[in-house]
Every structure is written in structure tokens, then in C-alpha cells.
Amino acid sequence: MSAYLETARARLEKLRGREDILTLGIESSCDETACAVLRGSEVLSSVIASQIDIHKRFGGVVPEIASRNHVTAIDGVVRSALNEAGVTLKDIEVIGVTYGAGLLGALLVGVSYAKALAYSLGIPLMAVNHIKGHIAVNYVADSALEPPYVCLIASGGHTAVAYVKGWDELEILGSTQDDACGEAFDKAARVLGLSYPGGPAVEKLAVTGRPSVKLPRPFKGIDTLDFSFSGIKTALINYVHNAEARGEEINRADVACSFQELVTDIMADNAVRAAELKGCNKLVIAGGVGANKTLRDKVKQRAQRSGIDVYYPPIGLCTDNGVMIAAQAQCMIKAGRDCAEYDLDADASLTPED
């Protein structure tokens, strides 16, 4: 065992059982370089360097450009988070870093930086699953929340319903068989001539529309908690392209509204049904698409009819951020997990259950 790992493990054991751990969280899985400092569930700082304006011109994230911008931004973001929190690196007791899932090059920037930092300070480094981070940020939003519960994971890269058994353990009850809901929103936005990111753009346009366009509902008549958005997306594209071929003008707001209504209907139905099947009276929403107001409203309305309480983070904590990574690092400590070794590598294909 290396001297670093021996020291880090000894320090980690002293942290177990504490609720006031000073934690640094680093996130670089996609197009946001983020860092936050938490003392327990108290957010002392949260700094995000977004690349949305950079990638908007390309209609989506370009991995190589994202990686290079992470390299440029990460040191300044970490320093800003420390300054905002009013602490120094020597005060930090544990570091959490996203090691998957995400874009490999982007992940490697955060992992490499965090490993060097933890090694230089002699403190434990927790290797955080990005999706579990999205779930864990709900513990910051509501400190009374604790497992078990059912969670709707709704993000750009993942869509699933999970049973969260413990602080760092979950079981997937249903997942997308093709596109994630965030990907579907991006593709719908592109065909409607809207800007990236697609989710907020479609939501904004849908406000002025009516759900008048008929789109196919997947798994009709089949008892499943799985999702499928590819057919809905293809039907929308065909509707728009066929209208254009006939020289007809479409009501883009109606198309956006119809798409959003169906997609959020499916997610809300599956989430509430999963909670009912598990006998859970707690339902959590996690991930970037969880910021969608229509989705939140539908989940809440349907859950209340079944006596299920709904939890979701504030809008600012739905998209990628350092708070969620620091929060999950603390959950891993509660769960008795070991710290990462110095040979930690990024894993772009990490699943929510890993």
C-alpha cells in the first residue's frame, strides 16, 4: 500500500459518522466545469464555468472542444469556489470527483486534477458516479430526505426509474431503450430550428402552443417501466419534413407542446407507477430534465393522488454542478465506501448502478 493511500484511508475512517465534513466537489463530465464546497449539507460555494455559448454554434457539445476548455477553466473554478467559501485547500477534508459517466476527455481533466490535489494534500478522494450525484443533490435541497425511495432520473444522457435502497446503492426498475429524454429534447429542438440546449428551448416555445399534433406513445398496451423516445422523435421529424415537402407552414409551438406533453406524460406515469409498485411514499426527481416545470407539475399531481411525497432540487442544482458531486462523496462515506486509489481512471460508460 502506498504511503498516500494509507494516510488517506486513516483520515477517511476519522470522518465516518460526522455530519459536518468539509468537502470539495469537482465536476467536468460534459460542458460545465464546476466546483463546490460543502460543510455537511450546507453549501458554502458553488462555481460553474458553462460552455453553452461555445457549443451553441455547433448545435451540441463537441467533445474535444469541451475537454480543452475544461483544462483552461478548472484551476480558476476551484480557486474561486475556495475563495467564495472562505476556506483554503488545507481546510478541505475530502475531495469528490466525477469519474463517470460522461465524455472521456472531459472526465479525465477533472479526475487528473482531483487526484493530484488529493495526493498533494494527503486527503481521501471519492470517485463519484455522475448519475448518483444528480440524485444526492436532493439531500442538500432537503436534509430530511433519506433512502429508501423511488427516483426518476431524467438527464441528457440517462432516463430511468430507480429504487434507491441506500446512500450509495440503487436498483434500476426501468430505463430507456434508445434515446435519453434530454437527447430527444435536443433533437426535437434541432428540427424545430431552436437553439442548443434543446430542453429549455422546447419548454419555452411549448408555453404558447397546444398539444394538437398526434405522436405515437411507445409500449402501448405493454406493462413496463421502460422508456423509448426514438419513435416519438422520428414521428416529430417526419411530421415537420412532410409538411415542409407539401409547402405547408407548421405551428412550431403546437409541435413543441405536443412533444413535451407526451414525453413528460410517459416519465410521470412510469415514476409514479414505480413508487406504487415498490410501496414507497417518497418519489425523487433528479437530472437536468428535472428542471422542466411541466414534468415537475405532472409528477407532483399524480403522486399526490397516491399519497406520495415528491422531492426535487431547485432549478440551479438540476444541471451539472459541483454541489451534487460533493453531496454524493459524503453519501459514499456514510455507506462505508473506500476512497479511490491513485490509479483511478475515468469511465465514460459507467452505469447508474455502478
Side-chain angles (χ1 to χ4, degrees), residues 195-236:
S195 64
Y196 171 85
V202 170
E203 183 178 12
K204 183 178 179 180
L205 181 60
V207 171
T208 59
R210 298 178 301 108
S212 59
V213 179
K214 188 172 182 179
L215 298 170
R217 189 181 182 100
F219 298 123
K220 196 169 184 179
I222 299 175
D223 185 19
T224 181
L225 292 175
D226 286 334
F227 303 85
S228 175
F229 301 110
S230 182
I232 304 171
K233 171 204 67 183
T234 301
L236 182 149

Side-chain angles (χ1 to χ4, degrees), residues 12-248:
L12 179 61
E13 288 309 311
K14 291 180 180 179
L15 297 177
R16 300 199 194 278
R18 278 182 46 193
E19 297 293 335
D20 61 345
I21 302 171
L22 195 62
T23 309
L24 185 78
I26 297 174
E27 156 63 23
S28 69
S29 65
C30 190
D31 60 343
E32 273 121 0
T33 314
C35 182
V37 178
L38 267 63
R39 179 178 282 113
S41 60
E42 179 188 3
V43 180
L44 301 184
S45 69
S46 179
V47 177
I48 301 173
S50 176
Q51 298 181 31
I52 286 179
D53 289 341
I54 296 170
H55 297 282
K56 189 175 289 186
R57 73 191 78 165
F58 306 109
V61 178
V62 180
E64 180 63 23
I65 294 175
S67 301
R68 290 178 182 274
N69 278 280
H70 284 308
V71 172
T72 302
I74 190 165
D75 191 59
V77 167
V78 172
R79 290 178 185 275
S80 295
L82 290 167
N83 289 338
E84 186 179 303
V87 300
T88 68
L89 278 175
K90 291 182 179 180
D91 298 318
I92 299 300
E93 297 176 289
V94 65
I95 297 173
V97 65
T98 304
Y99 84 106
L103 304 175
L104 184 59
L107 289 165
L108 283 169
V109 176
V111 168
S112 300
Y113 187 95
K115 285 200 300 184
L117 204 55
Y119 185 81
S120 68
L121 296 170
I123 60 176
L125 173 67
M126 308 305 292
V128 173
N129 183 318
H130 179 84
I131 298 304
K132 288 181 178 177
H134 274 302
I135 298 171
V137 81
N138 281 280
Y139 302 130
V140 174
D142 190 332
S143 59
L145 176 66
E146 58 182 39
Y149 54 80
V150 165
C151 180
L152 171 63
I153 302 167
S155 72
H158 298 83
T159 304
V161 178
Y163 178 54
V164 179
K165 303 176 180 180
W167 294 111
D168 190 43
E169 184 182 9
L170 60 81
E171 171 194 356
I172 297 297
L173 304 176
S175 61
T176 182
Q177 302 303 293
D178 38 63
D179 292 347
C181 55
E183 292 173 318
F185 268 103
D186 283 341
K187 291 170 183 176
R190 192 173 298 123
V191 78
L192 290 172
L194 303 175
S195 64
Y196 171 85
V202 170
E203 183 178 12
K204 183 178 179 180
L205 181 60
V207 171
T208 59
R210 298 178 301 108
S212 59
V213 179
K214 188 172 182 179
L215 298 170
R217 189 181 182 100
F219 298 123
K220 196 169 184 179
I222 299 175
D223 185 19
T224 181
L225 292 175
D226 286 334
F227 303 85
S228 175
F229 301 110
S230 182
I232 304 171
K233 171 204 67 183
T234 301
L236 182 149
I237 292 171
N238 289 340
Y239 175 85
V240 173
H241 287 174
N242 289 339
E244 289 173 347
R246 294 191 298 266
E248 298 173 359

